[in-house]
Amino acid sequence: MNYTIFGESHGPAIGVTLTGVPAGIVLDLDEIDREMARRAPGQNAWSTARRESDRPEILSGFFDGKTTGSPLCAVISNTDTRSGDYSRTRDLARPGHADYPAFVRYSGCNDYRGGGHFSGRLTAPLVFAGAVAKQILAPRGVHIGAHISGIYGISDDVPEGWADLCAVASKEFPVLNDEKGAQMKDAIAQAREEQDSVGGSIECAVFGLPAGLGSPDFGENAEGIFSQYLFAVPAVKAVAFGAGTAFSLMRGSEANDPLYLDDDGSVKAEQNCAGGINGGITNGMPLVFEVTMRPTPSIARPQFTVDLARMENAVLELQGRHDPCVVPRAVPVIEAAAALAACQLMGI
Amino acid sequence: MNYTIFGESHGPAIGVTLTGVPAGIVLDLDEIDREMARRAPGQNAWSTARRESDRPEILSGFFDGKTTGSPLCAVISNTDTRSGDYSRTRDLARPGHADYPAFVRYSGCNDYRGGGHFSGRLTAPLVFAGAVAKQILAPRGVHIGAHISGIYGISDDVPEGWADLCAVASKEFPVLNDEKGAQMKDAIAQAREEQDSVGGSIECAVFGLPAGLGSPDFGENAEGIFSQYLFAVPAVKAVAFGAGTAFSLMRGSEANDPLYLDDDGSVKAEQNCAGGINGGITNGMPLVFEVTMRPTPSIARPQFTVDLARMENAVLELQGRHDPCVVPRAVPVIEAAAALAACQLMGI
Amino acid sequence: MNYTIFGESHGPAIGVTLTGVPAGIVLDLDEIDREMARRAPGQNAWSTARRESDRPEILSGFFDGKTTGSPLCAVISNTDTRSGDYSRTRDLARPGHADYPAFVRYSGCNDYRGGGHFSGRLTAPLVFAGAVAKQILAPRGVHIGAHISGIYGISDDVPEGWADLCAVASKEFPVLNDEKGAQMKDAIAQAREEQDSVGGSIECAVFGLPAGLGSPDFGENAEGIFSQYLFAVPAVKAVAFGAGTAFSLMRGSEANDPLYLDDDGSVKAEQNCAGGINGGITNGMPLVFEVTMRPTPSIARPQFTVDLARMENAVLELQGRHDPCVVPRAVPVIEAAAALAACQLMGI
Amino acid sequence: MNYTIFGESHGPAIGVTLTGVPAGIVLDLDEIDREMARRAPGQNAWSTARRESDRPEILSGFFDGKTTGSPLCAVISNTDTRSGDYSRTRDLARPGHADYPAFVRYSGCNDYRGGGHFSGRLTAPLVFAGAVAKQILAPRGVHIGAHISGIYGISDDVPEGWADLCAVASKEFPVLNDEKGAQMKDAIAQAREEQDSVGGSIECAVFGLPAGLGSPDFGENAEGIFSQYLFAVPAVKAVAFGAGTAFSLMRGSEANDPLYLDDDGSVKAEQNCAGGINGGITNGMPLVFEVTMRPTPSIARPQFTVDLARMENAVLELQGRHDPCVVPRAVPVIEAAAALAACQLMGI
């Protein structure tokens, strides 16, 4: 299964083409809508109208309620785009954004309106693709859960298992510990008030993957496969498996998971420091990873930058309201990336 | 350029096949030897003999001192392998190692002697491939440096530029601050004494990459490309770019790099929080990342595990001397992975 | 540049996603329309209405008249689809069609209406993609021409160069020798009258490719690359380069192209038996190949077949009017495949 | 499974790296030797010594008589290479050979001695890879057979099934009709006498492939996959499936294979015009194709060419004895390519 996301924030439509989808998968479109809603902006009572306009239309690869096995293309129309007046800011490279490298990469021809192909809106088709992937994985016993593990230094609790993370997914603010969640929301509100933004992290687990998937070799190892999907999510700057960066503080005697034979005859690890992967191959334990997401680069404060048309130093003052923290809405996006990675690992 | 590493620790030979090598690259074989020596075991006065036996023989793709453009295959003979008596431990899955997942993945047919294809020895051909890649990159103005950024919680200084990291590469113990280096060595010695091992981290920078390489899209983004090469290095469990996991503690106003026009007319970032990448595309600043490496899983302490032949719980006591910390010898390996990733990013 | 064609004959839309398109290519949409018209059914005075409905809508990757470098998706709505009554024939595998293998491949879930994803209609997005590719190639001096080289044993003349094939492209019935063309049309008309169809062949040349593209190695050789694009066109059953199958009748002294130095200092071949490729690498001469296309499998005559639902022998009588020969309309399709292949070969 | 062939005719060694080999395949090394012998030069009483020197040494991926699942590398030493004096001819591009395009492609750095990486000798590792692939396919019920279908216009009989083609494989001159074989040998001898060479064709069939493999889409269709492997064999200039180029002479009523239900409940085609493939997907019938091979370009007659060093016209007179027809020895090579293609199609 491969995916290609296309579209620009202010173009006619955004969407995704999925190839290699197995034939005969019954797609629950309402479930897909629910996944889309988790990522949609303004997740509250009055957001219904917006959600509907984000509903993807499946153009191909879907017939009689099932996937056909041919490429599946889904599009979401950009009905709501008022391009507005970009003349004042279009040449000012927004710090922390891809404006400058994209200007070089695309010879100044990329669609600059609303972030163009770099817009966070492009994660909507990714969530769609992930929702399809989840419906392929679920009948195979593979499930995915995630929570906000931290925002601006405030950490959520450590999940104990699938049940914990499953309950979290249906929450408006997906944390295990709501008290910590309240503190995180305060930190976000505070940042917004100060015309600023905050970063954070998401922890995600894939449950039910069998042992023996992946390989130590380049292009096939489980960590490499997952990381490629995860770094394709905007704002992700670090990916860590199992104990992650804490491994640098540990001894082998702590980091090595003692193995034992479980009652069902399977080999298990007592802890799961390895995050379900040894030597690039799944070991049958939950595949656990954490991603770090940078603070939203769109902030209202004046920022020093360069005018790319005149090639001179300039000051940028961004207008408009921006998400002061992308982490909460990114939880289903990370799950989607994990679902697609899990499909690749399983040879789907 | 693609690479395939082959071989097992106790088979006839290990090696690498490199395809897509540009034609006409003059290879400095002595320089390759020096790179190999940086990774070789026993880096001290009496290690010469060992080093020579590790010298790769180039079988193809190299003629009259230059690459031909056809696949380049180099092999290193395994002259030194005494397979010894594995009968006592071959069925006991070593905790922290890939023994159990490999047993499942390869139906029990993988070569178990000395770690087989999972052996750290397999990083030797990777260093060879990286040494070739470096000689392709250097004339294009791209250079790579790295240092041990931390071991068991002891942190090295932060490098200030290419000159710093270049000086480090020629050191026996590649740290900027030798005092910190001495503390790290103590931590390693202490772990060894206690039949244990320690983890750590390596920071690496690629200097001279032009702006505009990569893309936000899956399979093309700079972070995704680098991470795939880095996670293919044994023991790497986390990859972080620029400020990395610290982004989760930051505000946008801290994380956004103000841009300015440099005297030479180029656009620069004041800090380099983004690690040289925005939106998956290089921005012309040094590409900086840190990898976390788990503690060596081979420790002499008794460990609980499972006997995979009898499928029963067991206790493993490993014999032999193992590296109590792989981080120092992994520095050139990480550089090699970075060199190969840089080649892919540059379309070489 | 990669392309993915999606859609089913009677679904909401068909289309194509193109990735890796260079940024800044000015697209001449009228020229694209003309290419689409060459393939469109009913090429004559009253076909305008049909042609308009086939006009592709570009959803992404195109801004201010130029490609952006991000994925370009174009869709063509299926406005004209009356699914009709398939109940009588949907389980009867049409001989010569993919009905039976697709039934196995897609577990009976593929869209059977009007051929579904196998419909000849799916070549419309391919022509669109090819038209884009041609506009990338033309400024680089690479041009493509093709003609019907034979239908039901009647052979067209041998073209002498780019000028010949260029003139052919604008013809309603693309042959060099109109007398032979008239005979071919007669053969087609005769077949139609007898409720039958005929096969034929198309010869195509790519002019202006520089020498030195490709490699002898698997996955990189020029013939392998072209053939993969060409066999992806429905009904193509043979691909031959240069003298093609006639090589089996030749001696080396006939087949070897004597080389000489041209007035402009370039190395040329006296004939072009090799079809512009030696050892998998372009030699600077026009890249010439011929494809053989099987007769349209949809014929009105009663045919023996199997009912896949009841798994019993059956007789099929197809209704409706079918193209008695796909070759004429396939000329721009083959050119499109060649244009995409040429882009890959040139590293675009 | 992927293969990379490396080496040059006069370098230290040639070989192949195979990745993705399933673990646990018992390799019959004697059978591999027999396959190698079929391709070896001088197939007669006194060729034993030569054959032994061609024996591949497996360096990796093979342990205790079985594949390990890790990359398998095999090398064949070039013991017999007397580089001789190339000074007189090294700059004269041999007509029909890749000398000129390779000179451009590899900036004059390719190894010119004995054809270098373009040498027919490089088909030896391909036969090795194919022999491994055959041993993976055989237990899955997939077998491959081939015969010389024509040389210089003399055609062999049409095979009737697997038994016919199996018997052929063990012959010194693999034709069904030995009388025709004798005529072919005469044609070869005649050409040799006249310092010339002849072309021919090979027909190959893959028996036992299940229906439902492949897809109509680019990169996945059965014909495209096979053709990519086949065109990677030196001297192959045309690939045709089933009725092949004869389709252009046929009507749909002839070309359509009537389907029927076989006694064993499977769907069969009465003839096999489609060569086992409809719409890019296997239909359960034998997959049949024919390749055309150009006459050996190395002929002793004086030929006009260009001196690439001096860039002036020249006359080339090749010394040494060359194979006046590569077709007989290419039979196991084509089978090898087919075996590797079949593995890819089966997802191995």
Side-chain angles (χ1 to χ4, degrees), chain A residues 257-262 264 266-270 284-285, chain B residues 100 306:
Chain A
D257 287 318
L259 301 172
Y260 67 96
L261 207 63
D262 204 7
D264 64 359
S266 70
V267 175
K268 292 244 166 87
E270 274 188 22
M285 300 295 293
Chain B
Y100 169 62
V306 172

Side-chain angles (χ1 to χ4, degrees), chain C residues 2-3 5 93-102 104-106 117-118 150-154 187 190-191 194 196-201 211-221 223-225 227-229 231-233 236-262 265-268 270 273-284 290 292-299 301 303-306 308 310-314 344, chain D residues 2-3 5 93-102 104-106 117-118 150-154 187 190-191 194 196-201 211-221 223-225 227-229 231-233 236-262 265-268 270 273-284 290 292-299 301 303-306 308 310-314 344:
Chain C
N2 284 300
Y3 78 93
I5 285 174
R94 293 167 299 165
H97 273 286
D99 293 354
Y100 169 63
V104 177
R105 167 72 171 81
Y106 300 114
H117 187 60
F118 292 84
I151 282 182
Y152 201 48
I154 303 145
Q190 181 81 13
E194 298 172 19
D196 214 332
S197 64
V198 287
S201 58
L213 303 177
S215 136
D217 298 319
F218 175 75
E220 297 171 11
N221 76 90
E223 285 126 333
I225 287 171
S227 66
Q228 204 176 13
Y229 284 86
F231 279 119
V233 175
V236 170
K237 295 297 282 185
V239 173
F241 294 87
T245 53
F247 274 122
S248 75
L249 315 172
M250 289 165 87
R251 283 205 166 174
S253 53
E254 298 167 278
N256 283 359
D257 286 319
L259 300 173
Y260 68 97
L261 207 63
D262 204 7
S266 70
V267 175
K268 293 244 166 87
E270 274 189 21
C273 279
I277 304 171
N278 295 113
I281 308 178
T282 57
N283 63 15
E290 186 174 55
T292 306
M293 308 196 78
R294 51 158 300 143
T296 323
S298 294
I299 56 176
R301 296 183 171 197
Q303 297 180 87
F304 291 108
T305 188
V306 172
L308 298 174
R310 296 178 191 153
M311 271 299 167
E312 58 183 32
N313 289 320
Q344 180 176 334
Chain D
N2 285 300
Y3 79 94
I5 284 174
R94 294 166 299 165
H97 273 288
D99 293 354
Y100 169 62
V104 178
R105 167 71 170 81
Y106 300 113
H117 188 59
F118 292 84
I151 282 182
Y152 201 49
I154 302 145
Q190 181 82 13
E194 299 173 18
D196 214 332
S197 63
V198 286
S201 58
L213 303 177
S215 135
D217 297 320
F218 175 74
E220 297 172 11
N221 75 91
E223 285 127 333
I225 287 171
S227 66
Q228 204 176 12
Y229 284 86
F231 280 119
V233 175
V236 169
K237 294 297 282 186
V239 173
F241 293 87
T245 52
F247 274 122
S248 75
L249 314 172
M250 289 166 86
R251 283 204 165 174
S253 53
E254 299 166 278
N256 284 358
D257 286 319
L259 301 173
Y260 67 98
L261 207 62
D262 203 7
S266 70
V267 175
K268 292 244 165 88
E270 273 188 22
C273 279
I277 304 171
N278 296 113
I281 309 177
T282 57
N283 64 15
E290 187 175 55
T292 306
M293 309 195 78
R294 53 158 298 143
T296 322
S298 294
I299 56 176
R301 296 181 171 199
Q303 297 180 88
F304 291 108
T305 188
V306 172
L308 297 174
R310 295 178 192 154
M311 272 300 169
E312 59 184 31
N313 289 320
Q344 180 177 332

Side-chain angles (χ1 to χ4, degrees), chain D residues 2-149:
Chain D
N2 285 300
Y3 79 94
T4 302
I5 284 174
F6 56 84
E8 282 82 27
S9 178
H10 287 57
I14 59 174
V16 63
T17 310
L18 278 167
T19 59
V21 182
I25 305 289
V26 177
L27 291 185
D28 179 339
L29 299 181
D30 290 335
E31 178 59 29
I32 291 178
D33 278 353
R34 279 191 291 274
E35 286 287 298
M36 298 300 290
R38 291 176 63 201
R39 190 215 69 93
Q43 289 167 316
N44 39 42
W46 60 86
S47 63
T48 322
R50 180 68 166 271
R51 230 178 299 161
E52 281 179 2
S53 80
D54 263 8
R55 188 167 204 168
E57 186 193 3
I58 302 181
L59 297 184
S60 66
F62 185 63
F63 176 58
D64 265 357
K66 285 179 285 193
T67 58
T68 64
S70 292
L72 191 159
C73 181
V75 297
I76 303 170
S77 290
N78 284 335
T79 51
D80 222 18
T81 55
R82 288 153 301 180
S83 286
D85 185 10
Y86 285 93
S87 56
R88 240 174 35 83
T89 57
R90 61 166 286 190
D91 300 325
L92 302 184
R94 294 166 299 165
H97 273 288
D99 293 354
Y100 169 62
F103 176 81
V104 178
R105 167 71 170 81
Y106 300 113
S107 316
C109 295
N110 54 308
D111 184 349
Y112 52 81
R113 299 168 302 164
H117 188 59
F118 292 84
S119 165
R121 181 162 164 72
L122 272 288
T123 57
L126 180 53
V127 169
F128 171 83
V132 171
K134 282 179 178 180
Q135 296 195 19
I136 295 170
L137 293 169
R140 290 166 164 87
V142 177
H143 299 275
I144 294 167
H147 69 123
I148 302 172
S149 52

Side-chain angles (χ1 to χ4, degrees), chain A residues 105 117 194 196 214 251 253, chain B residues 105 194 196 214 217 251 253:
Chain A
R105 166 73 171 81
H117 188 58
E194 299 172 18
D196 215 331
R251 285 206 165 171
S253 54
Chain B
R105 167 71 172 81
E194 297 172 20
D196 214 332
D217 298 320
R251 284 205 166 174
S253 54

Side-chain angles (χ1 to χ4, degrees), chain A residues 107-183:
Chain A
S107 316
C109 294
N110 54 308
D111 184 349
Y112 52 81
R113 298 168 303 164
H117 188 58
F118 292 84
S119 164
R121 180 162 164 72
L122 271 289
T123 56
L126 180 53
V127 169
F128 171 83
V132 171
K134 283 179 178 178
Q135 297 195 19
I136 296 170
L137 293 169
R140 289 165 164 89
V142 177
H143 300 275
I144 293 168
H147 69 124
I148 301 172
S149 52
I151 282 182
Y152 201 48
I154 302 145
S155 301
D156 191 21
D157 293 350
V158 174
E160 286 182 24
W162 166 240
D164 280 18
L165 281 178
C166 186
V168 153
S170 55
K171 280 184 170 180
E172 199 197 320
F173 195 86
V175 285
L176 297 166
N177 182 328
D178 291 331
E179 225 167 287
K180 295 294 182 67
Q183 291 173 33

Side-chain angles (χ1 to χ4, degrees), chain A residues 2-3 5 93-102 104-106 117-118 150-154 187 190-191 194 196-201 211-221 223-225 227-229 231-233 236-262 265-268 270 273-284 290 292-299 301 303-306 308 310-314 344, chain B residues 2-3 5 93-102 104-106 117-118 150-154 187 190-191 194 196-201 211-221 223-225 227-229 231-233 236-262 265-268 270 273-284 290 292-299 301 303-306 308 310-314 344:
Chain A
N2 284 300
Y3 79 93
I5 285 175
R94 293 167 300 165
H97 273 288
D99 293 354
Y100 169 61
V104 178
R105 166 73 171 81
Y106 300 113
H117 188 58
F118 292 84
I151 282 182
Y152 201 48
I154 302 145
Q190 181 80 13
E194 299 172 18
D196 215 331
S197 64
V198 285
S201 58
L213 304 177
S215 136
D217 297 320
F218 175 74
E220 297 172 10
N221 75 90
E223 285 127 332
I225 288 171
S227 66
Q228 205 176 12
Y229 284 85
F231 279 119
V233 175
V236 170
K237 294 298 281 186
V239 173
F241 294 87
T245 53
F247 274 123
S248 76
L249 314 173
M250 289 165 86
R251 285 206 165 171
S253 54
E254 298 166 278
N256 284 359
D257 287 318
L259 301 172
Y260 67 96
L261 207 63
D262 204 7
S266 70
V267 175
K268 292 244 166 87
E270 274 188 22
C273 279
I277 304 170
N278 297 113
I281 309 177
T282 57
N283 63 16
E290 186 174 54
T292 305
M293 308 196 78
R294 53 159 298 145
T296 323
S298 294
I299 55 175
R301 296 182 173 199
Q303 296 180 87
F304 291 108
T305 189
V306 172
L308 298 174
R310 298 180 190 150
M311 271 300 167
E312 60 184 31
N313 289 320
Q344 180 177 334
Chain B
N2 284 301
Y3 79 94
I5 285 174
R94 292 167 300 166
H97 273 287
D99 293 353
Y100 169 62
V104 177
R105 167 71 172 81
Y106 300 113
H117 188 59
F118 293 84
I151 283 182
Y152 200 50
I154 302 146
Q190 181 81 13
E194 297 172 20
D196 214 332
S197 64
V198 286
S201 57
L213 304 177
S215 134
D217 298 320
F218 176 74
E220 297 172 10
N221 75 90
E223 285 126 332
I225 287 171
S227 66
Q228 205 176 12
Y229 284 85
F231 279 119
V233 175
V236 170
K237 295 297 283 185
V239 173
F241 293 87
T245 53
F247 274 123
S248 75
L249 314 172
M250 289 166 87
R251 284 205 166 174
S253 54
E254 299 167 278
N256 284 0
D257 285 318
L259 300 173
Y260 68 97
L261 207 62
D262 204 6
S266 70
V267 175
K268 292 244 166 88
E270 275 189 21
C273 279
I277 304 170
N278 295 113
I281 308 178
T282 56
N283 63 17
E290 187 174 55
T292 306
M293 308 197 77
R294 52 159 300 144
T296 323
S298 293
I299 56 175
R301 296 182 172 198
Q303 298 180 86
F304 291 108
T305 188
V306 172
L308 298 174
R310 297 179 190 151
M311 272 299 169
E312 58 184 32
N313 290 320
Q344 180 176 333

